[in-house]
Amino acid sequence: MRRINYAVTALLLFSQLVWADTPSLDWSAALSGEHRSEAARQRDQYRHPRQTLSFFGVKPCDTVVELWPGGGWYTEVLAPALRDCGKLVAAHFAADSPVAFYRRSRGQYDAMLAGDPARYDRVRVTALEPPEHVQLIDAETADSVLTFRNVHNWLKAGTASAVFSAAYQALKPGGIFGVVEHRAHPGTSLERMVSSGYVTEELVIELARNAGFLLLSSSEINANPKDSRDHPKGVWTLPPSLRLGDRQREYYQGIGESDRMTLKFIKPIM
């Protein structure tokens, strides 16, 4: 049974709340860098990287683990900002994964890093693919573990609890687990979450608490009130996927990207 040092944890909670709205790192150089494509920049209006990373409290000399970074949209921001003093660990798919899509995605990510060593040469890539690969980094060495739009994938694979536990093990006591995820209506069934890509806040909070985390704060930074969260192809109906092709394209582009929760958890002092 975990024993929480409530006095120390309360102090950490208070300090985190006091500084929650204080920008922790100047993201301007990373966001305006020539390495970011115009398409990537266009998504800033929906993904709000400056506000999101400031909300999670990322500092210049932190060790940050990004879970399943995909094509590297957030890596393009995190890596150059942390390069001089901090450390970015990308917990991607295994290079030898039995899943062909995972292998291709990991290969493309590795190629992106190799193609721009001036920005990415210090990024460390590890594997996250339960149950074989669950050690993100040495235990209790990360200042923050961040995930962007991945929880629905772990629910589909049946590995969500394992991933949340891996994040807990990676973090220092007092470390931050930051979650951005497509947000379902309260009461949505698990089956619907998996098929639509939208997940309830209640389930994400439950998964985090079961892993040992305390909910520190939530934000509406990535909310989109235009999103009904009820679309023919789930969240993939909306940009950037636009799974319906030209069918009602202007309508879905007018909605923009999905409504998203932004949750900040803390690993308590034990």
Side-chain angles (χ1 to χ4, degrees), residues 46 238-239 242 248-257:
Y46 303 118
L238 299 177
L242 293 169
Q248 293 186 285
R249 176 179 287 264
E250 289 188 11
Y251 170 73
Y252 290 116
Q253 286 178 325
I255 293 173
E257 296 194 20

Side-chain angles (χ1 to χ4, degrees), residues 172-184:
K172 301 173 182 176
I176 296 299
F177 182 39
V179 179
V180 177
E181 177 57 45
H182 311 296
R183 178 165 49 191

Side-chain angles (χ1 to χ4, degrees), residues 116-132:
D116 193 353
R119 291 185 176 88
Y120 304 130
D121 63 335
R122 297 178 186 174
V123 177
R124 177 186 170 195
V125 184
T126 61
L128 170 60
E129 203 170 324
E132 292 83 4

Side-chain angles (χ1 to χ4, degrees), residues 16 18 25 40 72 100 108 117 138 165 176 180 191 194 196 207 243:
Q16 288 281 349
V18 166
L25 196 156
Q108 291 164 356
D138 291 343
S165 293
I176 296 299
V180 177
E191 181 182 15
V194 169
S196 70
L207 286 165
R243 288 272 178 91

Side-chain angles (χ1 to χ4, degrees), residues 57-106:
V58 178
K59 298 181 287 297
C61 296
D62 279 356
T63 295
V64 178
V65 179
E66 182 185 2
L67 304 183
W68 278 17
W73 194 93
Y74 255 105
T75 298
E76 289 184 345
V77 181
L78 287 163
L82 294 168
R83 186 175 185 275
D84 290 341
C85 184
K87 180 187 297 182
L88 176 62
V89 177
H92 211 295
F93 305 128
D96 60 351
S97 172
V99 181
F101 170 79
Y102 288 0
R103 293 196 304 274
R104 287 195 302 272
S105 179
R106 170 64 185 271

Side-chain angles (χ1 to χ4, degrees), residues 237-248:
T237 310
L238 299 177
S241 298
L242 293 169
R243 288 272 178 91
L244 294 180
D246 291 333
R247 178 183 163 195
Q248 293 186 285

Side-chain angles (χ1 to χ4, degrees), residues 3 40 46 50 54 68 75 95 123 132 137 140 159-160 164 173 208 216 237 239 250 255 260:
R3 293 182 178 274
Y46 303 118
R50 184 192 308 271
S54 295
W68 278 17
T75 298
V123 177
E132 292 83 4
I137 193 174
E140 299 195 340
T159 58
F164 277 56
L216 180 60
T237 310
E250 289 188 11
I255 293 173
R260 293 164 189 164

